[in-house]
Amino acid sequence: MKTGKILLFLIILFQPISVSAIELTLDKVIELANDSSLMAFRYRNMYQANYWQYVSFRADRLPSLSLTATPAKYYRYMTQRYDSEQNIDVFRQQQMFSASAGLEVTQNFDLLGGSFYLETDLEYMRNFGLNKYTQYSSVPVRIGYRQSLLGFNAFKWERKIEPLRYEKAKKELIYNMESVSEQAVTYFFALALAQAELRLAEENVASCDTLYVIGERRFKIAAISRAELLTLELDKVNARNTLENCRIALKRATFSLASFLGMDKNTEIQLRMPGRPLATDIPVDVALAMAKENNPTLLGHRQTILEGERDLNRAKVESRFNASVNASVGFNQVADDLSGAYRSPLRQDLVSISVSVPLIDWGVRKGKVNMARNNLNVSKIAARQEELSIEEDIIMTVSDYEVRQRLIASASEALDLAETAYTQTRQRFIIGKADINSITLSLNRRQEAAKNYISALQNFWLSHYKIRRLTLHDFEFDIPLTEKFELKN
């Protein structure tokens, strides 16, 4: 009894694991790719990095509160002092402990490029020398403003560039996710073609076996020659070799699609082919307008041009003399105890103006200005070249899209004709009214027509998603893809 249980356990343990099977449509494959593929994960993380950069930019426009503190500071050293009784300088030991803390609220002012600040400070000092004493120094409140009068205003350029950078990041995510959809279409139809070729190969093996049996019978009655019988036998052998190659290709295609979608590699995938798509008219001028508005590559060039203008402005400003100002008004008091440091505070004013004037730099600043100007011109030329390239790509893709819609109908009709022709030729061969060449040619045409139909569907859907990627617009439902992005977020 015990031996029987062990045997049953071993049978269960080494029983082959059943392979999970799943049926997928093209829409489902694209949905899974955008949700689970490594490409989609990478693109979403790239967007998150830009998102948090934009959040930091927005936060920098709000007031900030900071604390600065020196909790403990101890000095012990020899210092030079004047002895008034002896009228000489002497060295004396000095010991001192101090601590300080302060709060500051800062608000950037983008229009002028300066910063308003509100401060409060407290300092403590204890002297352990010959004359021991304790002091507290307080600044209950001080309000001020500091900025460069003629310098570079980084805040103004950030307000122009950062929103555009974030807008480009959002549209770049949509653009990249559409490229994931294109990749999903490629994997889908690669597997669809492999499955179709396997089915055709299986049918071909069965057909070749049948035809060879018929050929043997006809050879016995001298209806065909020995060479024709050998041709039928060769077709049977080639059909079996083709079937084995198709099984290998199917396994590779299934593994590639499963890996791309993040599925288990042993998943058995059955595809449901999409039907003939509805005809959609895409005006070229509308597609071009959508691309100019939404294409992240063009937005990236606008950002590059703005950054070039910023660098040129910085180089020009820094080539001239500069002046900065720091002005504040507040209160200050010193006392031997903490409460006294906040009693009857005295007025504290500060106005500071600093000037920097370049005298001789041997053309360094002028060179920086010319370099920044040349870089800006290069960016403008590159942007125009890229815009022309994208316009050409859109015009050709829209044209291909219209042609590929017609090719699907033509490929479908050719497949129906090839199927009918093969069936009739096979029947005629069975009754002896068709030769070997006719049946072989008919079979090849049938296989070619099936491949052409799948290829026509693939090319259509690739064009469909490429147009979506270049324009970020869904022409099937006539809605911008950015609306879907906003809904998801």
Side-chain angles (χ1 to χ4, degrees):
M1 186 67 180
K2 186 176 181 181
T3 305
K5 289 183 179 179
I6 294 175
L7 180 60
L8 179 61
F9 173 77
L10 291 175
I11 292 174
I12 295 174
L13 180 63
F14 292 103
Q15 184 179 359
I17 300 174
S18 59
V19 178
S20 58
I22 184 173
E23 185 181 55
L24 296 176
T25 62
L26 178 60
D27 290 339
K28 187 62 178 178
V29 167
I30 292 173
E31 179 185 344
L32 290 172
N34 281 270
D35 181 67
S36 306
S37 68
L38 290 177
M39 286 179 64
F41 179 76
R42 172 173 171 262
Y43 291 139
R44 281 194 291 268
N45 277 273
M46 289 169 58
Y47 164 74
Q48 286 295 324
N50 288 288
Y51 168 76
W52 287 112
Q53 181 176 350
Y54 182 69
V55 169
S56 299
F57 158 74
R58 293 291 300 272
D60 202 32
R61 312 272 75 75
L62 302 175
S64 63
L65 175 65
S66 59
L67 167 68
T68 57
T70 304
K73 190 175 183 180
Y74 176 74
Y75 285 97
R76 184 175 183 177
Y77 58 97
M78 302 298 293
T79 184
Q80 182 178 343
R81 300 283 181 167
Y82 174 70
D83 188 338
S84 58
E85 294 181 359
Q86 303 182 50
N87 195 28
I88 59 174
D89 289 332
V90 296
F91 285 100
R92 294 180 180 174
Q93 179 176 300
Q94 182 78 20
Q95 283 182 277
M96 184 180 67
F97 175 83
S98 66
S100 63
L103 287 174
E104 182 182 50
V105 178
T106 306
Q107 172 65 62
N108 295 328
F109 187 48
D110 294 351
L111 182 63
L112 297 178
S115 299
F116 290 100
Y117 59 90
L118 178 67
E119 296 177 334
T120 179
D121 297 311
L122 176 64
E123 294 184 42
Y124 166 79
M125 182 177 65
R126 171 68 174 172
N127 195 306
F128 297 98
L130 295 177
N131 298 321
K132 299 180 180 179
Y133 60 89
T134 300
Q135 280 191 319
Y136 290 87
S137 173
S138 73
V139 178
V141 62
R142 176 166 59 226
I143 185 171
Y145 180 77
R146 51 178 173 257
Q147 82 157 71
S148 177
L149 294 176
L150 303 174
F152 173 70
N153 187 350
F155 297 149
K156 180 185 73 173
W157 287 103
E158 284 181 358
R159 286 180 66 89
K160 292 181 178 181
I161 294 173
E162 291 303 324
L164 180 60
R165 188 197 305 274
Y166 179 57
E167 185 67 20
K168 186 198 80 170
K170 290 194 297 185
K171 293 182 176 178
E172 195 168 43
L173 173 62
I174 304 172
Y175 180 93
N176 289 332
M177 297 307 283
E178 291 301 313
S179 69
V180 173
S181 299
E182 286 185 67
Q183 191 68 32
V185 169
T186 301
Y187 280 116
F188 178 91
F189 282 102
L191 179 56
L193 183 60
Q195 291 179 349
E197 288 181 338
L198 180 64
R199 286 193 297 269
L200 289 172
E202 290 172 343
E203 293 174 6
N204 191 27
V205 167
S207 178
C208 288
D209 288 343
T210 302
L211 294 177
Y212 180 71
V213 171
I214 295 172
E216 282 184 320
R217 293 173 185 170
R218 295 177 64 184
F219 175 72
K220 289 179 181 179
I221 61 174
I224 62 174
S225 65
R226 179 69 179 175
E228 289 176 320
L229 180 61
L230 291 174
T231 300
L232 289 174
E233 185 178 5
L234 177 62
D235 288 343
K236 184 177 73 169
V237 173
N238 287 337
R240 294 188 181 280
N241 292 336
T242 301
L243 177 60
E244 292 302 319
N245 289 328
C246 287
R247 285 172 178 162
I248 295 173
L250 176 63
K251 187 175 181 180
R252 289 183 179 273
T254 303
F255 181 83
S256 296
L257 179 58
S259 298
F260 178 69
L261 298 180
M263 295 180 173
D264 186 85
K265 63 180 180 179
N266 293 319
T267 303
E268 181 182 336
I269 301 174
Q270 291 297 327
L271 300 181
R272 191 190 308 165
M273 292 293 291
R276 186 182 302 178
L278 298 175
T280 304
D281 181 36
I282 302 179
V284 175
D285 55 341
V286 175
L288 289 173
M290 293 296 177
K292 290 180 180 179
E293 180 181 352
N294 298 320
N295 191 284
T297 303
L298 299 181
L299 289 177
H301 283 297
R302 292 180 208 167
Q303 175 189 328
T304 302
I305 290 174
L306 272 177
E307 290 172 345
E309 292 174 348
R310 175 200 62 191
D311 294 341
L312 178 59
N313 176 254
R314 178 192 286 127
K316 286 181 177 180
V317 167
E318 292 178 352
S319 67
R320 304 188 294 263
F321 77 93
N322 188 21
S324 60
V325 62
N326 184 5
S328 66
V329 59
F331 299 94
N332 179 236
Q333 185 56 279
V334 177
D336 295 337
D337 56 78
L338 180 61
S339 60
Y342 285 93
R343 191 181 302 117
S344 302
L346 304 176
R347 177 77 175 268
Q348 182 190 61
D349 299 320
L350 168 67
V351 177
S352 171
I353 298 176
S354 59
V355 178
S356 173
V357 182
L359 298 177
I360 299 176
D361 64 356
W362 311 106
V364 172
R365 289 177 173 81
K366 183 178 180 180
K368 289 182 178 180
V369 172
N370 291 332
M371 184 171 61
R373 183 180 290 109
N374 290 336
N375 289 337
L376 177 59
N377 291 334
V378 169
S379 298
K380 289 181 177 179
I381 294 172
R384 182 54 184 161
Q385 289 176 334
E386 188 70 27
E387 184 177 353
L388 292 174
S389 177
I390 291 176
E391 287 179 0
E392 180 182 354
D393 196 9
I394 290 174
I395 292 172
M396 296 304 298
T397 303
V398 170
S399 177
D400 291 345
Y401 180 78
E402 295 172 351
V403 173
R404 296 190 192 287
Q405 290 185 86
R406 297 193 297 268
L407 284 177
I408 292 176
S410 177
S412 178
E413 182 181 2
L415 179 59
D416 292 339
L417 292 173
E419 289 280 359
T420 303
Y422 173 73
T423 302
Q424 293 180 357
T425 304
R426 187 173 181 273
Q427 293 296 329
R428 292 179 70 245
F429 178 82
I430 292 173
I431 63 177
K433 292 186 176 181
D435 58 12
I436 300 297
N437 292 333
S438 297
I439 190 66
T440 302
L441 181 61
S442 179
L443 177 63
N444 291 337
R445 286 175 175 172
R446 177 188 177 223
Q447 293 177 338
E448 191 67 25
K451 294 178 183 179
N452 287 341
Y453 178 68
I454 295 175
S455 178
L457 281 175
Q458 177 181 1
N459 290 333
F460 168 80
W461 287 110
L462 285 174
S463 296
H464 173 78
Y465 282 101
K466 184 176 181 180
I467 291 174
R468 284 167 55 104
R469 175 169 57 86
L470 292 174
T471 63
L472 299 192
H473 191 82
D474 186 347
F475 288 94
E476 184 179 0
F477 299 100
D478 195 24
I479 58 173
L481 297 180
T482 50
E483 288 188 7
K484 296 181 180 180
F485 177 85
E486 298 296 340
L487 289 175
K488 291 180 181 179
N489 286 272

